Structures are given as C-alpha cells and as structure tokens.
Amino acid sequence: MKFCIHRGSDQIGGSCVELEHGGERILVDLGLPLDQEFDTADLPPIEGSERSNSKILAVLLSHSHRDHWGLLPKLPLPIDVYLGRKALSMMTAARPFVPGGYVPERAVTYQDRVPFNVGPFEVTPYLADHSGFDAYSLLIRAGGKTILYSGDIRSHGRKAALFQKFLADAPAPVDVLLMEGSSLGRLPRERRFETETDIEQRLVEVLSATEGMLVVACSVQNIDRVVSVYRAAKRSGRQLLVDAYGAEILKATDTASIPKPSGDWDDVKVYIPQFQRRLLVRNGIAHLVDSYKGRRIFPEKLSGQASKSVMIVRPWMLTDLQEVGALEGARAVWSQWEGYLTSEPGVAFTEKCKALDIPLETIHTSGHADIHALQQYAAAVNPVRLVPIHTFFPSQFSELFANVELSPDGNWVEI
Ligand SMILES: [Zn+2]
Ligand SMILES: [Zn+2]
C-alpha cells in the first residue's frame, strides 16, 4: 500500500489523502481549504479525478466539517461516499439552510468499530471526541499494511470517554499514523484546553448576571456546545430557544441524550425569525414548522419569555430580536473561535451588541486536542511512522512525538 497527502501536510483545512494498493485507489476526505471559496477552489491534483471513469473506488469522509468534504461536489459523479450515519443525517438537515449545503448522491454509511471493505481496503471507523458530531478516526488495512488516519480529535469534549476508550484499546500494529496537529503553534505545550463542563459552568455564571435573554452565538452543528448551553440554561431555570435550522440539526442527531424540540424535551422551544420564515417558504420546506406545534415561541410573545430563555443565534438574528423587543436587559456570548470575531459576520455582531448596549464576552473551547492529548493518542498507537496532517506547524512534530516523518503535499510514500 502507498499513500499521498494531496493537501493538509502544512495547513489546517482542505485535507485530502489518497491510498493505493494493487492499482486500486480510495480518497480519505476531500475538504475545502479554509482560505478558499468553493467557486474558485481547485481539486487537488488527483490523477484521473477529472474523468468520471477514474479508478477511484470511493471517498471516505471522517466527519461532516466542510474542511473535510467541501470539494466533493467538484468530483465527477458518480462515486460512493462513505460516512457516519448521523453525519449524513446532519448534512441532509443542514442542506436547505446553509449556503452551499450538500449531500452526497451515493452515500454509504458506516458505524463505530464495524469494519467494511472497499475493494482491497478494509476500513474500521473509531468514533471520536470532536466538536463535529459523529466524527471518526479511520483505520485502513491493505496488503498486510495499516494506516490510521486520526481525523479531527480531542479529549476535552462531552465525549471524552470515547478518547479514553480509544487509548485503552488502540489498534495495533499501525505502520503509519496520519495525525492532526491543529493546536501546534496555537498554545504552549503544557497548556490544557478548558472542558465543555468548564464552558457550561462559565455560562451558568454569566446567566446569574443576566436579567433579560442570553443570546449565544455558536454553531448549532457543534452539538457538544449546544448541550453545554442547554445544561447551563436548565441549571438556571431557563428554556433553550433555537431557530428552525437548529431544530432540524438537533432532531437529525437521532440521539436520545441530545436536547431537541421533540419528545419529552419540554424546555426546548423554537423561535422562527422573519427572515427564516421567508427562507422556509422559498426553499419549499415551510411544512417543517408543523412538527414544532406546541413548541413555538411567536414574535409577539418573545419579549415576555426573554428573562426565562437562552437563545442560540446566528449574528444576523440580532436585528430581528431587536425589532420584536426581546433584547431588553440581554447579554451576549460569542461561543466559537475568537478569530471569527474579526471577520464578517463577527464584526457585525460585535457592532450590533455595542450599538444596543449588550455586554458581549467570549466563552469557548477548541474542537481540537491539546498537545498533551495528542501525545497520549500517538503513544497509544505507537506507529512505525507518524506523519503530520491538518497542521500549520509540521516541523514542530518531531519535538513532541516519536518516529515522526514529514511528507509534503503530493509526495507518495510506499509503506
Ligand atoms: Zn478539520
Ligand atoms: Zn472537524
């Protein structure tokens, strides 16, 4: 077996790895680089990818973040795309709500620790703790050799037990570990990230000082964070409000322990901003609101519910909330990467808060492993070779991990 990192050896985002054995090939992830727009981004130079009859058997996706699948729509169809069942469900739910939403035409779903075969490749997914829901490390065997692709991982989320489970029973032997290193260069070696439980506690503290509504700007696809927000709301005697996009994403998790506006979750309600009402009609999905019956908070009632609510918002929603008079005594929390605050729509959010005299603070923790956790992961796998991916600092790996070997984009490595 041999492999080539087409993209990701020295950048975060746009990850794409090709594996070849006996003339048969698969791709692992095909992401959109973070600094590129879909329309102008090029596929990495994968031989034959411009032809629909190429010998690429399939694409395996580690998870549903766009920096791991975003260039898929540029591959000539048809091709089988393997991904987690719940990841597919979330991509399907998100499609009508987000620009560039996409669902693979020929999706094949896999499950945690259930091996499957694609041509000569045997693949075993390992469900991982990550800010993206239903994310996996992928173990791939062919010709008596083994590659482990870490995907995006962490150890401080709400699924930390999955990380410990992996450490306790890591696959062996592994010839090559392709391991992410998002945190290298971003934080000192010994610093640990806050846990989601820490985030929940900080939200509780903010809530104790909030008279009106607490608006939290986070991605509803960051399910761990939504759970932290929900738990903080509940501990503060408040209900959680989401828009229709949030409602559909939470329902799509299809997981009993995750709050959603259905079933017995009486303290999760739906507020549909004016702009979204028009979007639902335009996209032919206005019928979705029928399923929120009895759980809707209508605009004229929102201000009366504000002091008993925490709402997950996207920046554009503030104007709508202001118009219905729901921001009296409100506070705001930015609960995603702070870097987004300096670009649109983060700037607009900050300015709007300032104009409305709404106190704003950032409460967030990374979706990626800190260095200590990466060292635990690498030590547990103990690979013959550890190759950096999904990092801006591959050259720092050799100071932190054993058996490191760099492989630049486009370089083929025989195992
Ligand atoms: Zn990523
Ligand atoms: Zn990710």
Side-chain angles (χ1 to χ4, degrees), residues 12-13 15 63 65 67-68 130 152 182 368 390:
I12 295 175
S15 291
H63 64 294
H65 276 159
D67 66 313
H68 293 257
H130 177 46
D152 289 359
S182 312
H368 296 273
H390 202 283

Side-chain angles (χ1 to χ4, degrees), residues 140-390:
I140 302 160
R141 290 197 178 96
K145 299 291 183 183
T146 303
I147 291 181
L148 177 65
Y149 175 76
S150 72
D152 289 359
I153 50 170
R154 66 173 173 179
S155 71
H156 56 278
R158 294 209 164 266
K159 302 176 296 296
L162 289 172
F163 186 81
Q164 298 306 330
K165 183 179 172 186
F166 180 89
L167 294 189
D169 188 21
V174 169
D175 295 290
V176 172
L177 168 60
L178 293 162
M179 190 177 77
E180 74 125 309
S182 312
S183 297
L184 272 68
R186 283 185 172 177
L187 85 170
R189 185 183 297 201
E190 57 289 339
R191 237 196 76 202
R192 306 300 315 267
F193 282 128
E194 282 184 290
T195 65
E196 280 296 329
T197 312
D198 296 332
I199 297 301
E200 175 187 328
Q201 182 56 33
R202 286 175 60 192
L203 288 166
V204 167
E205 284 157 20
V206 172
L207 273 162
S208 70
T210 307
E211 285 174 23
M213 182 145 64
L214 182 70
V215 294
V216 181
C218 72
S219 163
V220 287
Q221 295 202 37
N222 183 345
I223 300 297
D224 278 15
R225 185 60 42 80
V226 174
V227 172
S228 298
V229 174
Y230 168 79
R231 288 173 59 95
K234 193 173 178 65
R235 286 170 58 185
S236 309
R238 295 183 180 226
Q239 62 190 355
L240 178 70
L241 304 183
V242 294
D243 67 350
Y245 170 48
E248 292 308 306
I249 291 294
L250 293 174
K251 282 158 64 183
T253 61
D254 191 23
T255 300
S257 59
I258 289 171
K260 54 183 82 60
S262 63
D264 295 334
W265 298 91
D266 295 335
D267 45 8
V268 183
K269 302 272 174 54
V270 182
Y271 174 76
I272 303 180
Q274 183 71 26
F275 173 81
Q276 190 167 59
R277 263 203 294 268
R278 290 195 293 270
L279 177 131
L280 293 174
V281 172
R282 199 168 59 235
N283 291 351
I285 49 171
H287 62 274
L288 288 177
V289 302
D290 296 343
S291 66
Y292 313 145
K293 201 155 179 278
R295 301 173 192 273
R296 291 275 299 275
I297 303 288
F298 290 93
E300 60 276 15
K301 293 276 170 57
L302 190 62
S303 64
Q305 299 274 320
S307 64
K308 289 180 264 174
S309 303
V310 177
M311 190 186 291
I312 290 177
V313 299
R314 284 176 284 164
W316 59 264
M317 287 164 65
L318 279 190
T319 303
D320 181 281
L321 298 180
Q322 179 199 6
E323 280 168 7
V324 301
L327 292 177
E328 200 68 39
R331 278 178 175 261
V333 169
W334 187 258
S335 197
Q336 49 198 304
W337 184 48
E338 207 151 19
Y340 292 141
L341 267 179
T342 57
S343 61
E344 288 296 333
V347 172
F349 189 75
T350 311
E351 284 173 0
K352 191 82 189 167
C353 286
K354 205 175 275 174
L356 296 172
D357 218 10
I358 296 175
L360 168 66
E361 65 185 288
T362 298
I363 299 179
H364 180 57
T365 192
S366 175
H368 296 273
D370 51 38
I371 287 156
H372 177 74
L374 289 174
Q375 286 175 324
Q376 287 181 300
Y377 189 95
V381 174
N382 190 26
V384 178
R385 286 187 267 186
L386 192 163
V387 179
I389 192 168
H390 202 283

